[in-house]
Amino acid sequence: MFADILITGLVNGSTYALLAVGFSLIFGVARIVNIAHTAFYMVASYCIYTATYKFGLHPVVGMLIGVVVVTVFGVVTYRIFIAPVREHEAVVLIATIALAMALQEGMLLMFTGDYLSVPHLIPGFTILLGVKVFYQHVLTFAAVVVILGGLHVFLSHTRLGLAIRATAQDREVANLMGMNEGRIATITVGLSLALAAFTGAVIAPLSIVEPFMWLHPLIMMMAAVVLGGLGSMKGSFYAAYILGFAEAIIVFTVPMGAFLKGSVALSVMILVLLVRPEGLFGIAFEEER
Amino acid sequence: MKKAFFMAMACCALIGWSGSVWGADTIKIGVIGPMQFVQGKGHWNGATMAADEINAKGGVAVGGKKMKIELVKADSNEFINVTDATNAMELLCTRDKVDFIVGGFRTEAVLAMQDIAMDSKKIFIGCGAAHPELCTRVAENYDRYKYFFRGTPFNSNFLVKTCFIQMAYVGGVLKQQLGLEKIKVAIVAEKAVWVDPMIAAAEGFIPKMGMEVAGVWRPSPVATDVTAELSAIQSSGAQMVLALFSSSVGIPFARQAGELKIPAAIVGINVEAQKSGFWQATQQMGNYVTTINTYCEGVEYNDLTKPFMDEYIKRYNEPPTYTADTYTAIIYALVPAIEKVGSLDPDKLVAFMETDEHLVPSGKAAYMKDDKGRHLHDLVWGPGYLTALGVQWVDGKQVGIWPYKWKASETAPEITYKGIVPYTIAPWVIEAHKKK
């Protein structure tokens, strides 16, 4: 059972980590609570489905198209709908909810509510520690490691990454130092949405493509972000795995309560917040003020 | 200006008058369902096919004149919001002023819609929800709810019964072909109210069938990854899975079980596996999954099945799901009743319909009474009436596997519908359990 929990927890956690880190990035830099983050992930999944089944392209080509389309589309919608109201956080929150709903309804109109799916990039499974694991799961885990490692290198060792981190720490001072804060925010939005699209690309073969597929990951992603500490990418990363393991433990130890895995994971979040309201790696509110 | 105004008024009056004359020669039937989803599409497709057939023959004979059928489509959006469903029903009754209504899917929504239809004294034939309460209401408050009839499927108590009979049949095949002595059954049921009593019943019934319960798993109805549950099921040593799914979880469960080659025969209710899109949705991994179903290409209950199936597939390029029984509701229940009674009067029609027995493409429809002899307007289940089918996905095609030499009782005759084939055990199940 230990091996089952280990493998399942790693796979679940990787999915949430990809989403949560992208969400944290955009919140940390642009202070945008992007509720539509997972809706873009849903759009990417539909792009892959369309490219694969309507145009007969290889799923990898579909993935690339999905990432590009969602990134461009996301940046355009950001410039049109979000950027003008960016300073008003409540308005941004509502605008992104509306955007998510619009994307959902758009997909419902175009593809109806039918459950669709896309093929695994590598079909089949392997046995790790006596547990059957899909190659797609292994690929997802590897992708998370590569993407998050690449992101870490980018943010730590490039001038643009430095500018993004500086803007995340203090927008006004970054502006005074000559950084174009608006441009950096746009780039960060693009980067964050590319991450969402990439998540959609690696997760779509493991999931069902349907217009409401963004809701459950949204809750888990928000939980990971809050648990890790709002805006802390490192925190989101660790929190995603905590939630992933919490879910796995429930499924294996209480099979009759498997449906509770989401609520138990959220309860873990609440318990941690009771002890540490700023989250695992967040800045204490008093200190921030 | 004044002249133009009067001209416009005259035109409006003419349009209104011609509309009312045209309206008087039509029977308006509201078709309500979640139109963006497979279930609603089935409602609409079945009703359209019925209306086209009747209108092509000149319409419905009502008291000496022919009336055409006009369908009114109403999107209940009931998967997302029950309030949308009640609004849609309200509009059908008050704005569109339909004469009859067919459709509905989710019990929660249909219960609410039923009240609105009853308020307007509209005959409402439910074509989707299985909960007994819909018909218990008829018995308990006949004057108010007598306008409701169950069209499809038969009620959930009979669904359970059919499900267990099919499980016993597959269990028998496993025992016989693999030489298993006592079969271990994993019960996997989505977390939904309709399943709760079925789990309790299954836990009591499985040991009586000489099998053993290996465990009960309750994934979320919308879970997209059930590999953890599948690993646990495999660890439990189960040789058969009783799956009870009406939601999207039926797809990842079947797909992942097929991909991981979980060595257990999957039986039960998987609504997603009833649909033609299941093969694509599972990426061809739903092979050998078995589910209860109403229709299956190549299987005939009676002489009406084949013409219905052929025409439906010709029109829509896919076999019907059970919600397409709006066809049956209109063409075999409603229209003959109107023609026999010679009126659209709902009270006269109810009196005729509740005693009428008629063949339908899925068997024979008759309405039952409760223990106290009160009309339920609920469908009779059993040999000679409605039984449903057991269907199995084999290499991309649904085949009928039950009833196969089924005897409803010790003394009852064997039943095998035309086109039914024996159950096929998945090769990886054989490999895992066959005694050397």
Side-chain angles (χ1 to χ4, degrees), chain A residues 53 113-114 117 120 132 205 259, chain B residues 36 218 255 259-260 281 283:
Chain A
Y53 285 102
D114 292 350
S117 72
H120 284 185
K132 287 178 176 175
F259 63 92
Chain B
Q36 294 294 337
R218 305 292 308 266
R255 178 179 175 175
E259 281 174 319
L260 294 173
Q283 291 294 317

Side-chain angles (χ1 to χ4, degrees), chain A residues 226-250:
Chain A
V226 173
L227 178 59
L230 269 173
S232 164
M233 275 180 284
K234 189 169 69 172
S236 300
F237 178 80
Y238 288 122
Y241 282 99
I242 291 172
L243 295 179
F245 277 106
E247 284 194 349
I249 289 167
I250 289 300

Side-chain angles (χ1 to χ4, degrees), chain A residues 4 8 11-12 49 53 104-105 108-109 111-120 123-125 131-134 137 204-208 210-212 216 248 251-252 255-261, chain B residues 36-38 41 77 80 191 199 216-229 231-232 234-235 247-249 251-252 255-257 259-263 272 275 277 280-284:
Chain A
D4 286 298
T8 309
V11 170
N12 288 348
Y49 172 80
Y53 285 102
Q104 173 194 292
E105 295 302 310
L108 192 60
L109 278 175
F111 296 94
T112 73
D114 292 350
Y115 299 126
L116 307 169
S117 72
V118 294
H120 284 185
F125 64 90
V131 181
K132 287 178 176 175
V133 183
F134 293 124
H137 276 145
L206 292 167
S207 182
I208 303 168
E210 48 109 7
F212 307 97
H216 178 70
V251 171
F252 283 98
M256 269 292 274
F259 63 92
L260 291 170
K261 63 183 180 185
Chain B
Q36 294 294 337
F37 295 83
V38 169
K41 286 182 215 166
N77 196 32
I80 318 297
K191 182 59 191 169
I199 293 173
V216 181
W217 285 265
R218 305 292 308 266
S220 154
V222 291
T224 54
D225 189 346
V226 287
T227 45
E229 285 88 341
S231 291
Q234 182 161 3
S235 304
S247 299
S248 60
V249 65
I251 293 174
R255 178 179 175 175
Q256 293 177 343
E259 281 174 319
L260 294 173
K261 305 221 179 303
I262 300 297
E272 288 304 316
K275 302 173 187 172
Q280 192 285 327
T282 58
Q283 291 294 317
Q284 299 80 48

Side-chain angles (χ1 to χ4, degrees), chain A:
Chain A
M1 187 188 286
F2 175 74
D4 286 298
I5 292 171
L6 180 70
I7 304 281
T8 309
L10 281 174
V11 170
N12 288 348
S14 303
T15 311
Y16 299 143
L18 265 181
L19 285 168
V21 168
F23 183 88
S24 267
L25 190 65
I26 198 170
F27 178 79
V29 173
R31 288 288 181 269
I32 293 172
V33 180
N34 185 17
I35 300 294
H37 192 76
T38 50
F40 283 105
Y41 141 96
M42 177 259 296
V43 173
S45 301
Y46 272 109
C47 284
I48 298 161
Y49 172 80
T50 308
T52 311
Y53 285 102
K54 304 282 178 193
F55 298 106
L57 301 172
H58 190 275
V60 174
V61 180
M63 278 176 67
L64 293 173
I65 292 172
V67 172
V68 172
V69 167
V70 166
T71 308
V72 172
F73 176 64
V75 171
V76 170
T77 48
Y78 165 74
R79 297 298 301 175
I80 295 171
F81 296 110
I82 311 296
V85 294
R86 223 188 90 201
E87 298 307 319
H88 310 282
E89 287 182 5
V91 179
V92 169
L93 184 71
I94 292 164
T96 56
I97 292 173
L99 183 60
M101 298 298 289
L103 291 174
Q104 173 194 292
E105 295 302 310
M107 294 302 118
L108 192 60
L109 278 175
M110 277 194 272
F111 296 94
T112 73
D114 292 350
Y115 299 126
L116 307 169
S117 72
V118 294
H120 284 185
L121 293 178
I122 310 172
F125 64 90
T126 183
I127 297 176
L128 292 175
L129 303 170
V131 181
K132 287 178 176 175
V133 183
F134 293 124
Y135 287 123
Q136 187 69 28
H137 276 145
V138 178
L139 186 71
T140 305
F141 184 65
V144 171
V145 172
V146 170
I147 290 289
L148 296 183
L151 190 67
H152 178 72
V153 170
F154 169 73
L155 291 175
S156 311
H157 298 95
T158 64
R159 281 175 63 82
L160 184 57
L162 188 66
I164 289 174
R165 282 193 297 138
T167 311
Q169 279 179 10
D170 199 316
R171 278 197 286 173
E172 283 78 15
V173 174
N175 231 345
L176 288 171
M177 293 293 125
M179 292 170 209
N180 185 338
E181 188 265 329
R183 192 166 146 264
I184 288 171
T186 306
I187 291 169
T188 312
V189 167
L191 196 60
S192 163
L193 293 178
L195 273 179
F198 185 78
T199 315
V202 290
I203 295 303
L206 292 167
S207 182
I208 303 168
V209 181
E210 48 109 7
F212 307 97
M213 65 183 285
W214 62 283
L215 288 168
H216 178 70
L218 172 72
I219 295 164
M220 296 310 291
M221 177 194 75
M222 297 286 281
V225 169
V226 173
L227 178 59
L230 269 173
S232 164
M233 275 180 284
K234 189 169 69 172
S236 300
F237 178 80
Y238 288 122
Y241 282 99
I242 291 172
L243 295 179
F245 277 106
E247 284 194 349
I249 289 167
I250 289 300
V251 171
F252 283 98
T253 54
V254 196
M256 269 292 274
F259 63 92
L260 291 170
K261 63 183 180 185
S263 23
V264 169
L266 295 177
S267 305
V268 169
M269 178 196 81
I270 292 167
L271 283 175
V272 172
L273 291 181
L274 282 174
V275 181
R276 210 178 142 76
E278 66 275 23
L280 293 174
F281 293 87
I283 304 158
F285 297 131
E286 289 77 8
E287 191 185 323
E288 194 177 35
R289 276 190 214 112

